[in-house]
Structures are given as structure tokens and as C-alpha cells.
Amino acid sequence: MRARAIATVVWLGLLSGLCKAELRLPHVISSHAVLQRGKPIHIWGWATPGAKVQVQFHAQTVAAMTDVIGKWSLYLAPEVAGGPYVLTVSGDGPAVSLNDILVGDVWFAGGQSNMEMPLSGFPPLSAVKDAAKEIANANNPRIRLLLVEEKTSDYPLSDLEESWTPCTPETAKDFSAVAYFFGREIAAKENVPVGLIDSTWGGTPADSWVSLDTLGTNAELQPAFAARARFADKLEYVDETIAAELRADAVAKAAGKPAPDHPWHPYETSWLPAGLYNGMISPYVKYSIKGFIWYQGETNSGPGRAQYYRSLFPALISDWRAHFAQGNLPFLYAQISSFNSTGEDWGEIRDVQRRTLAVANTAMAVTTDVGNATNVHPADKQTVAYRLSLAARATVYGEHLAYASPLFREAHEELLPDGTEGMRVWFDHAEGLTANGKPVDGFELAGEDHKFVAAHARLDGMTVIVNSASLAHPLYVRYAWPSYFGSALYNAAELPMSTFSSDYSPLRP
């Protein structure tokens, strides 16, 4: 036993001598970064095994020892908003010095194309409202941006190459418009520096953004793997088609002509279950943050997939919170908007998102009224971001302001004065409920067969009375169910009513 112990000591000594490593930090801890105020600040990295590493920041000095493979980790005491400061790491070879560090609030933005859509838009088909003006005015030294590259992985990554940049017209034009507008609102209203991490990829399902830890241990999430299996038989066709399109693009470019229009095809690895969590979330889970903003769901709206989203979306929220390990971090999300999407269940996705408000410390921005019937990427990203910022200001920062749309509470059958049966619908956040002088449309009723028919509706204070001449005994009511629907009802805060259905049977046709 003694000989084995001596051999182990010798081996570790040789390993230490052979593994002299460069002192380094993950790219998320870089010059121009924002470090999260008001909570322990996590700093970590890599160096020679067994080395002592020391971090100096503001008035703090904290040290740590590296483990046998050279990893080290420490926490700085909470700081108040301020800066710019210098962060220095020393003790194992040349010191690393980072400049222009701010302390403020860090928000992590995730989702698919409507969150990804940059200030410069998706030309030539989709543009952000007032894009040129917004880009020109994007000089904001109190906002810092970190744009994550699109990357999938079969295993969780620990670092990526992207680092923080100041917010300028040049950096902001390629950054998420919703995230930028949200950060601009928070920086102005809360008077703090704001760091924004943009980790998004268009056309991706939520399954790809959830870790295998969750997908593999929750039986309700097994459709993620079944969907991937069904998609796999199409990959050869997709790859061949994309290759042909790239060749056509090259021919057009050589001839001085614009590239031809192509049908949209998802990049197959972006649909890999947990692939985007591994590649675009995992590298950041150790970073101290304020909370999340999220805009996704369109890709999960296909026939039969919306009901699965009931389990998937809450699981994603729990999964991210568990991996970031900073408690029930605020999770603010945009309900998907309105778009005339044939064969997809956008109404049901919107209702699932509404019901997900049952998860603690979440809030939702309703966006149906800024949708576009013919474009999946509506231009008005300012309104979406503003409503998310209202939710943050009220639920995270403690401001006393109205932030929530009218939300379905309950519905009861009621005998109306004319002797017919109808339903009275009650709402939360319905103060000042109004249709702005327009007809109260978008309501439907169903009986025991769960088949909905168009219904007549009228306001009665903060409730809505709904009835239909073709339905004698209504049991269920729903609102704004078509994929495209321009909102009809608003509260006094000018926030539109959310899509809802009182029928939530898993056996519903």
C-alpha cells in the first residue's frame, strides 16, 4: 500500500510538471463585461494543476487553488452597480488583466427567430420597425452585448469564443432587436448598466434547448427523441437540397445576379435533442445573471406537438434554473404572435404559454396585436420588448405598475335575460377592459362534444358574456384561437387579452 501511495505522489508530481498550463478565463469573463450586482459573482477558469490563483477586483482580493486537472473557481462578494473597473487574475504565469468591467444586471436572451431577429432584420423579407434610426442611435456605453455563435454539440461545452463588446451601432445591428430594446428600457428605467447575452437560433424547437439531464429523466419528454427519429429519414434529402441551393447561389453570384429564393429548410443539427443546450447554454451556466427573457414556440406548433409543449416548456424553465443554480431566476417570455400559419396550432401554443404562468417567478408579454398575417417575423419588436420590460420592472425590480394582460380566470354557465344559456367569463388584470369601440369578436363556445363554434360576445364590466344561437348548452369557451388573430380586447394599461381556452382535456380532438 505504501508503494502505491508513493507512486501516486510521484505520478501527481510528474503530472503537475508536465501540465504547465496557461492561466485563462472563459470568454464570457472578458473586458467590457457586465458582472451581476447584488449577488456573489462567480469567477472561474483554468491554470496549472495545484497552482494558487488570485483574483483582484475593485476593493476585493480572493484566492483559490486549482484541482488536479487545472480547474479553479471562486466567488467575489456582492457588489453594487458601478464601474468601469479592472479585474486581474494572477499567481500562475503571466497575469490576466481585464478592463472596462461594469457591475449591473445581466439578462440572458434565448429562443428562435423572433428573438434572434437583429436590428438589421432578415433582409430582404423581414425588417425591424425604424431599423435605420434605431441602429444609428445604438451608442450606449452602459449596455454591453455578447452575441453567441450558432453551435450544436453532442456534449455540454465549457467555453465558446465569443466575448463582450460595448453597445455601438456596429455591434447592435447584428444583435437581437428584442433583447437590445429590452436592455435599453431596463438600463434607462433602473439606472444600472445592463449586460445582454443573445443565445438564439431561428427555426429551432424547445427540445434542442433542454439538457439531456432533463430530457432523459422525464418520461413526458420522450417525444423529443421520437421527433428526432422521424426527422432523421429526411436528412439526406435536406442536405442534398441545401447543397443544390448553394450551387445555384454561387452560379447567380458569378453571373452578377441576385440569389434565387429557396424554401426554408432547418439545419438538421439544430434539431438535435439537447444539441443547443450543449452548444449555446452550457458554456454560460456558471455565470451570475439577473434572469432570462425568451421568445420561442413557433417551431413546436405543428399538429400534435402543441400538447407536448405543455410538458416541454415548463421543463425547459426548470432545467435552465437548475443548471444556472441561482435559485428560481426570473423567466420572462413573449407569447408567440399572430401569423396565418396553415396546419399549425398557434392558438394552442399561446394557451400553453399562458398556462405556464403557473410556474413560479414567470411573466408573459402578449404580442398578438403586433403580429403580421403574411410574415412570421413582425416588424414591431419595440412593443414586444417594452412589454417584457414592464414585466421585469414590476416582478423583478418591484415597481408598482400594471404589466400583465387580461388573463382568463374562470367561466360559468349563465341563463341570459332572453332565456338562452350562455357563459360569463372572468379575468385577472382586467381593470378598464375595453374593445375600443369595436365589436367583441374572437370568442367561441363548445358543448360536451368539445367542438367549438363562433359565438356572440359582449362586455359586462370586467367580464365577458358569450352565447351562441347554435349551441343550447355551452360548457367551454375560448378566445383568439386562430393562428392569426388581431387582438380585440385591452385593459386600462393598453395590454391585449391573452389567447385562452377553458377546455384543457388531453383527449380533446
Side-chain angles (χ1 to χ4, degrees):
M1 291 295 294
R2 183 179 178 186
R4 182 178 298 175
I6 292 173
T8 300
V9 171
V10 171
W11 179 83
L12 288 173
L14 289 172
L15 181 66
S16 177
L18 290 172
C19 296
K20 181 68 176 179
E22 177 187 4
L23 175 63
R24 67 184 181 91
L25 295 160
H27 287 79
V28 69
I29 304 175
S30 72
S31 293
H32 313 299
V34 175
L35 301 179
Q36 180 58 48
R37 65 169 173 154
K39 63 171 60 177
I41 300 171
H42 194 194
I43 307 294
W44 74 98
W46 301 267
T48 302
K52 179 181 179 180
V53 175
Q54 182 173 277
V55 174
Q56 294 176 300
F57 179 74
H58 201 191
Q60 300 191 53
T61 300
V62 182
M65 298 294 294
T66 61
D67 64 16
V68 295
I69 60 173
K71 295 193 296 184
W72 58 270
S73 172
L74 57 83
Y75 284 85
L76 300 171
E79 295 266 358
V80 299
Y85 302 121
V86 175
L87 186 147
T88 302
V89 186
S90 59
D92 182 40
V96 175
S97 186
L98 307 178
N99 302 308
D100 191 32
I101 304 290
L102 300 179
V103 177
D105 287 341
V106 180
W107 285 91
F108 193 100
Q112 59 180 110
S113 58
N114 271 307
M115 182 64 89
E116 177 189 24
M117 187 173 176
L119 282 177
S120 56
F122 293 138
L125 299 179
S126 301
V128 171
K129 185 178 75 173
D130 300 327
K133 177 183 176 182
E134 297 286 12
I135 293 171
N137 292 332
N139 269 312
N140 195 325
R142 303 187 74 200
I143 296 178
R144 305 299 169 82
L145 310 176
L146 196 160
L147 178 58
V148 181
E149 68 170 311
E150 293 179 345
K151 189 176 184 66
T152 64
S153 176
D154 292 327
Y155 56 89
L157 301 181
S158 59
D159 195 16
L160 292 176
E161 295 296 319
E162 291 75 35
S163 56
W164 292 93
T165 65
C167 181
T168 66
E170 185 60 29
T171 59
K173 69 180 177 62
D174 297 322
F175 200 82
S176 162
V178 169
Y180 165 74
F181 293 137
F182 172 86
R184 185 176 68 182
E185 288 285 335
I186 298 303
K189 297 297 183 181
E190 304 304 322
N191 194 30
V192 294
V194 171
L196 300 167
I197 300 175
D198 173 358
S199 185
T200 55
W201 193 332
T204 54
D207 323 50
S208 302
W209 296 99
V210 180
S211 76
L212 283 177
D213 297 327
T214 293
L215 291 178
T217 57
N218 185 336
E220 292 182 351
L221 304 183
Q222 295 310 297
F225 301 101
R228 174 64 179 178
R230 289 193 295 271
F231 188 67
D233 63 4
K234 303 176 183 177
L235 295 185
E236 184 176 351
Y237 162 76
V238 170
D239 289 342
E240 290 178 353
T241 303
I242 292 175
E245 291 172 356
L246 291 174
R247 289 192 294 270
D249 291 347
V251 170
K253 182 177 180 180
K257 299 178 180 179
D261 290 334
H262 302 303
W264 177 84
H265 304 285
Y267 179 47
E268 58 96 1
T269 59
S270 70
W271 282 46
L272 180 71
L276 300 185
Y277 170 85
N278 290 338
M280 299 176 67
I281 305 300
S282 177
Y284 303 103
V285 297
K286 295 181 180 181
Y287 200 66
S288 302
I289 67 171
K290 188 70 171 180
F292 306 104
I293 56 173
W294 175 259
Y295 194 169
Q296 189 274 342
E298 298 92 340
T299 295
N300 286 95
S301 65
R305 302 193 72 212
Q307 291 196 28
Y308 163 51
Y309 204 65
R310 300 178 185 182
S311 301
L312 179 61
F313 186 36
L316 181 147
I317 297 171
S318 298
D319 183 67
W320 284 19
R321 287 173 170 173
H323 283 282
F324 276 80
Q326 297 170 48
N328 279 349
L329 285 166
F331 197 101
L332 317 178
Y333 55 94
Q335 189 183 58
I336 64 171
S337 193
S338 289
F339 173 63
N340 193 13
S341 181
T342 304
E344 296 184 356
D345 301 319
W346 282 41
E348 187 161 3
I349 288 289
R350 292 195 296 260
D351 192 40
V352 169
Q353 291 172 325
R354 177 190 65 85
R355 292 174 181 270
T356 303
L357 290 171
V359 177
N361 210 17
T362 60
M364 181 181 74
V366 175
T367 71
T368 45
D369 59 332
V370 295
N372 186 320
T374 60
N375 194 327
V376 73
H377 304 124
D380 186 0
K381 295 296 188 277
Q382 291 89 336
T383 295
V384 177
Y386 175 70
R387 290 173 180 169
L388 286 171
S389 75
L390 286 180
R393 291 166 58 193
T395 65
V396 180
Y397 295 103
E399 291 190 52
H400 296 288
L401 51 81
Y403 72 93
S405 285
L407 298 171
F408 170 75
R409 182 196 303 164
E410 57 186 306
H412 308 293
E413 300 98 289
E414 184 168 310
L415 185 64
L416 303 181
D418 63 1
T420 63
E421 289 188 22
M423 299 194 78
R424 184 181 293 272
V425 191
W426 300 79
F427 305 91
D428 294 315
H429 311 289
E431 294 78 6
L433 193 63
T434 179
N436 293 318
K438 298 178 181 178
V440 182
D441 57 11
F443 283 87
E444 300 172 273
L445 291 171
E448 290 183 347
D449 61 1
H450 300 273
K451 295 181 179 179
F452 282 89
V453 297
H456 173 267
R458 64 179 177 86
L459 291 176
D460 186 15
M462 291 191 294
T463 69
V464 176
I465 296 175
V466 189
N467 70 299
S468 173
S470 63
L471 189 63
H473 304 292
L475 296 176
Y476 308 103
V477 59
R478 71 185 185 187
Y479 169 76
W481 205 255
S483 291
Y484 178 77
F485 179 80
S487 295
L489 293 172
Y490 290 79
N491 61 18
E494 299 182 354
L495 298 172
M497 181 177 288
S498 169
T499 294
F500 73 86
S501 175
S502 66
D503 177 15
Y504 205 52
S505 168
L507 302 178
R508 184 179 65 247

